[in-house]
């Protein structure tokens, strides 16, 4: 039970510059390891996905958030609780599609790119693509298939960073095969 | 007061962990059969409860009791299911099951990159911590009542 009391100290702050630089080192290494930027984007997404499927459990354990009633509630929780908890920023939720199945997370500042400038020969690289994977992986675990991509990126000269999320379908739970 | 046993199932119905403490009678079938039976029953009862609910349902199925034991059920939004059987005098155990999830499963399994999620748990550390946690529960000890 002593574990319980350690919870609060568990949330101790990490130096954000160290975090930013670590992420930078990771992307740099991927750029060295892979031939082209498309492949790097793919790897970042994959790594993010693997992080997301575990991170969601930590998120649910730490926040007292229950199951969301609809996609709008999900959007709010992602922006106000999850981004705040893990990146220390609160993106705004905007640009809802008329059907309510697609929205944008707009970040005024993206902590991952604090010291980054993209060289000319990396104009296809989606530097923060890891975030897309994290969101996709985490939501998949709560039975939501989503499509996530960067619509705007300050690294490419846009004013803000915009992540576009589209709801695809609910993943239904099935009784495992072979059971009566 | 006492705790009989604990099951943890993943979202696909695989039994990730089973442990028992004061279980005096076995089911008389193999453990694999027992897990399947348990999961099948939970799956049906959950869908029954949500279909029959006359009100909008949030938490869903939480527990049932017979004349001899009480089954407590807790499911996370990610579909992990925690089931604990106790005797009848144990009050609502949702909080306890949530703690097993948030302080034991998440910390020792999810945050351990060597534990692949969806396989039966093999972490000795987790088992040991779980055992300690359960034995420290106010209602664990049969003589405490």
């Amino acid at each position: 039970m002593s574990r319980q009391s350690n919870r609060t100290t568990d949330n101790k702050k990490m130096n954000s510059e160290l975090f930013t630089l670590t992420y930078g080192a990771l992307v740099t290494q991927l750029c060295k390891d892979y031939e082209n930027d498309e492949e790097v984007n793919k790897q970042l997404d994959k790594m993010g996905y693997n992080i997301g499927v575990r991170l969601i459990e930590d998120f649910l354990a730490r926040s007292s958030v229950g199951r969301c009633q609809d996609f709008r509630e999900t959007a709010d929780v992602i922006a106000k609780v999850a981004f705040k908890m893990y990146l220390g920023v609160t993106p705004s939720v905007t640009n809802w599609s008329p059907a309510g199945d697609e929205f944008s997370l707009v970040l005024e500042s993206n902590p991952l790119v604090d010291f980054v400038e993209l060289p000319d020969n990396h104009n296809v690289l989606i530097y923060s693509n890891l975030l897309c994977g994290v969101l996709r992986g985490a939501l998949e675990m709560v039975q939501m298939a989503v499509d996530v991509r960067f619509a705007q990126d300050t690294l490419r000269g846009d004013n803000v960073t915009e992540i576009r999320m589209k709801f695809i379908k609910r993943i239904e739970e099935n009784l495992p095969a072979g059971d009566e | 007061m006492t705790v009989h046993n604990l099951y943890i199932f993943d979202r696909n119905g695989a039994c990730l962990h089973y442990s028992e403490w004061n279980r005096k009678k076995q089911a008389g079938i193999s453990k694999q059969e027992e897990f399947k039976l348990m999961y099948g029953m939970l799956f049906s009862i959950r869908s029954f409860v949500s279909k029959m609910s006359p009100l909008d349902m949030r938490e869903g199925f939480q527990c049932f009791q017979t004349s001899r034991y009480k089954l407590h059920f807790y499911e996370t939004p990610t579909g992990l299911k925690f089931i604990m059987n106790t005797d009848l005098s144990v009050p609502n155990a949702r909080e306890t099951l949530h703690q097993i999830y948030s302080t034991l499963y998440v910390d020792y399994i999810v945050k351990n990159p060597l534990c692949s999620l969806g396989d039966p748990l093999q972490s000795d550390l987790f088992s040991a911590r779980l055992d300690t946690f359960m034995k420290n529960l106010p209602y664990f000890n049969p003589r405490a009542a």
Side-chain angles (χ1 to χ4, degrees):
Chain A
M1 294 284 266
S2 62
R3 197 70 206 169
Q4 195 71 45
S5 52
N6 290 338
R7 254 293 127 191
T8 41
T9 48
D10 261 356
N11 294 338
K12 57 179 170 272
K13 296 249 182 316
M14 174 185 167
N15 183 311
S16 72
E17 290 186 5
L18 175 62
F19 172 67
T20 306
L21 292 172
T22 308
Y23 185 74
L26 173 90
V27 179
T28 313
Q29 188 61 44
L30 284 175
C31 287
K32 281 182 191 147
D33 289 352
Y34 291 92
E35 299 278 312
N36 57 58
D37 289 354
E38 274 104 3
E39 197 53 41
V40 176
N41 295 342
K42 218 182 280 172
Q43 287 301 322
L44 283 171
D45 182 78
K46 200 162 133 193
M47 291 165 88
Y49 175 85
N50 290 330
I51 294 173
V53 298
R54 286 178 188 251
L55 197 66
I56 182 74
E57 304 283 6
D58 181 66
F59 176 75
L60 292 169
R62 279 213 241 169
S63 64
S64 47
V65 173
R67 186 175 287 286
C68 294
Q69 294 298 298
D70 54 27
F71 201 43
R72 282 181 187 270
E73 194 184 340
T74 309
D76 270 353
V77 169
I78 292 172
K80 299 201 181 104
V81 191
F83 266 80
K84 182 97 201 103
M85 187 185 286
Y86 293 112
L87 288 177
V89 292
T90 310
S92 45
V93 178
T94 54
N95 295 340
W96 278 96
S97 67
D101 65 343
E102 207 176 335
F103 67 90
S104 294
L105 292 167
V106 174
L107 292 118
E108 296 292 329
S109 73
N110 174 0
L112 292 180
V113 304
D114 276 352
F115 315 112
V116 183
E117 235 175 80
L118 278 189
D120 290 339
N121 57 342
H122 283 294
N123 49 14
V124 199
L125 180 69
I126 309 170
Y127 184 83
S128 309
N129 210 28
L130 188 99
L131 293 181
C132 294
V134 172
L135 287 164
R136 189 167 60 84
L139 288 177
E140 187 181 300
M141 295 302 282
V142 287
Q143 291 88 45
M144 264 181 273
V146 288
D147 180 63
V148 191
R149 62 191 167 79
F150 274 87
Q152 291 190 73
D153 193 340
T154 45
L155 288 183
R156 294 153 182 279
D158 298 313
N159 286 328
V160 290
T161 300
E162 176 183 352
I163 301 173
R164 191 81 182 142
M165 299 189 54
K166 183 178 167 54
F167 179 82
I168 302 171
K169 61 167 184 171
R170 277 198 76 76
I171 303 162
E172 295 298 334
E173 234 178 295
N174 293 316
L175 199 56
D179 281 10
E180 56 282 85
Chain B
M1 294 202 174
T2 190
V3 175
H4 299 304
N5 54 4
L6 178 91
Y7 304 80
I8 303 175
F9 288 97
D10 78 352
R11 61 200 314 214
N12 300 317
C15 186
L16 300 181
H17 178 84
Y18 173 77
S19 45
E20 61 185 39
W21 291 273
N22 296 304
R23 184 177 182 174
K24 301 225 168 62
K25 178 184 160 292
Q26 296 296 330
I29 48 179
S30 78
K31 275 280 171 289
Q32 284 316 314
E33 287 288 315
E34 182 184 318
F35 297 154
K36 262 179 149 177
L37 202 59
M38 175 60 93
Y39 189 82
M41 187 274 299
L42 292 170
F43 193 89
S44 316
I45 227 173
R46 226 173 40 125
S47 85
F48 173 83
V49 167
S50 72
K51 282 203 181 74
M52 292 302 160
S53 173
L55 301 169
D56 189 26
M57 208 182 54
R58 282 221 90 152
E59 292 294 333
F61 164 59
Q62 306 194 2
C63 77
F64 74 70
Q65 68 177 56
T66 72
S67 61
R68 299 303 301 271
Y69 74 96
K70 196 166 175 179
L71 179 144
H72 307 261
F73 175 73
Y74 170 73
E75 182 178 8
T76 70
T78 48
L80 280 165
K81 296 169 186 66
F82 295 79
I83 297 98
M84 182 169 79
N85 284 312
T86 67
D87 74 357
L88 298 177
S89 55
V90 172
N92 189 333
R94 276 184 88 69
E95 191 45 42
T96 305
L97 293 176
H98 178 76
Q99 272 178 29
I100 294 176
Y101 167 64
S102 62
T103 63
L104 297 170
Y105 181 82
V106 169
D107 282 2
Y108 295 111
I109 304 299
V110 176
K111 292 185 186 172
N112 181 350
L114 295 178
C115 293
S116 69
L117 307 178
D119 289 346
L121 310 181
Q122 288 177 332
S123 162
D124 292 339
L125 183 62
F126 173 80
S127 306
R129 293 294 167 121
L130 178 66
D131 196 57
T132 315
F133 176 86
M134 296 302 278
K135 286 179 174 159
N136 280 326
L137 287 174
Y139 44 77
F140 181 81
N141 194 331
R143 275 159 302 178

